[in-house]
Structure formats: C-alpha cells, structure tokens
Amino acid sequence: MSSDGLIVLGVDPGLADTGYGAVRRQTGRLSLITSGTLKTPANLSEPQRLKILAQQLRALLAELRPEAAAFEQLFFSKNVRTAMAVGQARGVALVCAVEAGAEVHEYTPSQVKLSVTGFGGATKGQMLKMVQSVLATRELPRSDDAIDALAVAICHHHSGRLRTLISRRPVGTPA
C-alpha cells in the first residue's frame, strides 16, 4: 500500500499550549502542510480550558482530515499537577482524533528522536535542524510544542524505517 498523499497530524498536547504539525508525503518526500499552537486562556477553569481545546482540535481535524494522528507517549514529570493537566489535554486530543476517524499512533521520545535524527538522544537543536531539513523549509514555528508535533508526525511517516532501525540494534542496547 502506497503512503503517498498520506496526511499525518502530530500533536504535542498541553493544557495551556497544544502544538500541532501536519505533514504530507508527496512523491516520496515529506512536506509541511501547517503547524502551530492551540492556546487556552489561563483565567478559565481546567474543564472550560479542556472544552476549548476540544473545540479547537475538532475544527483543526475537520479542516485537515488526516488519515493518522501521532502522539509522543507521556513521560512522568516530577510536577504531578503539570503531569495531570498534560494527561487530561492528551486524553481530549486522543478522543478528538479518534472521533475524526484518524488512526492513532504513539511513539516514545527516543523513537521520535531516532526516527528524525538517527540518534535516540538528540538535543532540541538537533531535532529542529533535522525537522527543517526533512521538510525542506525554513518556515517553522517558534514554538517548541509545534516543532515537537512536527517531529512526531515525521516519525510516523518514517515508522517503517524506524522498525528496521530498532530491529538492527545490537542486543542489550537501549532504544
């Protein structure tokens, strides 16, 4: 099955800022469709902010109609309150993606880094340079959340190559 024309929406959820990045494969190359950050007003209650986030995500998904939505798996934060808010925003984003008919895929942070840069311990700067290179653009958002979302979308496009890289890893080496 050809993945040409496949639109993947990468999502980096958060209660205050949710990064998104849509990437399409065309004639074997990846291209940027759009990226940015969805914001919710800090002066509202968490339930109201989650409602606004859901509305924004539903509108974005309806506009883009991605075949797949890619998320980075959560890592546990020392700040429990922040982790809970991110988890709630992530839950809203997952439900919205499923409701929109997108296949949902999840990747660990090291899988995203390995797929985009070839190194599972890549820095933010290395990730930014490779996202620019892979998408052949200088027009990237200034938001780390949006760049992270683009990286996870690229990771999904590279997921077949990622499985090959992981399977070639010497026994006993971490991902």
Side-chain angles (χ1 to χ4, degrees), residues 48-65:
Q48 286 299 316
R49 292 174 85 181
L50 292 169
K51 177 183 174 185
I52 290 168
L53 177 59
Q55 291 167 339
Q56 293 172 335
L57 283 166
R58 285 185 181 114
L60 182 66
L61 286 156
E63 177 187 334
L64 296 173
R65 300 177 44 162

Side-chain angles (χ1 to χ4, degrees), residues 129-147:
K129 286 179 183 175
M130 284 306 298
V131 167
Q132 285 178 309
S133 176
V134 168
L135 298 177
T137 184
R138 292 178 186 248
E139 303 285 325
L140 288 181
R142 297 189 192 279
S143 157
D144 284 346
D145 299 314
I147 292 166

Side-chain angles (χ1 to χ4, degrees), residues 13-55:
L15 185 60
D17 301 306
T18 292
Y20 66 89
V23 175
R24 174 186 287 131
R25 180 178 301 279
Q26 292 177 295
T27 59
R29 295 191 52 89
L30 298 181
S31 63
L32 171 67
I33 297 171
T34 188
S35 65
T37 307
L38 305 174
K39 296 184 175 288
T40 62
N43 63 329
L44 297 179
S45 67
E46 282 187 16
Q48 286 299 316
R49 292 174 85 181
L50 292 169
K51 177 183 174 185
I52 290 168
L53 177 59
Q55 291 167 339

Side-chain angles (χ1 to χ4, degrees), residues 31-168:
S31 63
L32 171 67
I33 297 171
T34 188
S35 65
T37 307
L38 305 174
K39 296 184 175 288
T40 62
N43 63 329
L44 297 179
S45 67
E46 282 187 16
Q48 286 299 316
R49 292 174 85 181
L50 292 169
K51 177 183 174 185
I52 290 168
L53 177 59
Q55 291 167 339
Q56 293 172 335
L57 283 166
R58 285 185 181 114
L60 182 66
L61 286 156
E63 177 187 334
L64 296 173
R65 300 177 44 162
E67 289 84 1
F71 294 80
E72 205 171 73
Q73 291 177 351
L74 279 183
F75 62 94
F76 290 98
S77 171
K78 291 180 183 176
N79 183 335
V80 175
R81 182 163 168 73
T82 300
M84 290 295 293
V86 170
Q88 290 174 331
R90 187 173 190 277
V92 165
L94 288 166
V95 167
C96 288
V98 170
E99 286 176 344
E103 286 186 27
V104 172
H105 301 271
E106 299 178 270
Y107 302 93
T108 66
S110 61
Q111 285 175 320
V112 174
K113 291 175 181 180
L114 178 63
S115 175
V116 174
T117 69
F119 174 57
T123 65
K124 285 271 188 197
Q126 291 168 325
M127 290 292 289
L128 172 61
K129 286 179 183 175
M130 284 306 298
V131 167
Q132 285 178 309
S133 176
V134 168
L135 298 177
T137 184
R138 292 178 186 248
E139 303 285 325
L140 288 181
R142 297 189 192 279
S143 157
D144 284 346
D145 299 314
I147 292 166
D148 289 348
L150 285 169
V152 78
I154 292 167
C155 176
H156 181 70
H157 276 291
H158 290 170
S159 62
R161 183 176 69 95
L162 177 66
R163 282 189 288 279
T164 301
L165 285 170
I166 290 171
S167 68
R168 289 185 185 162

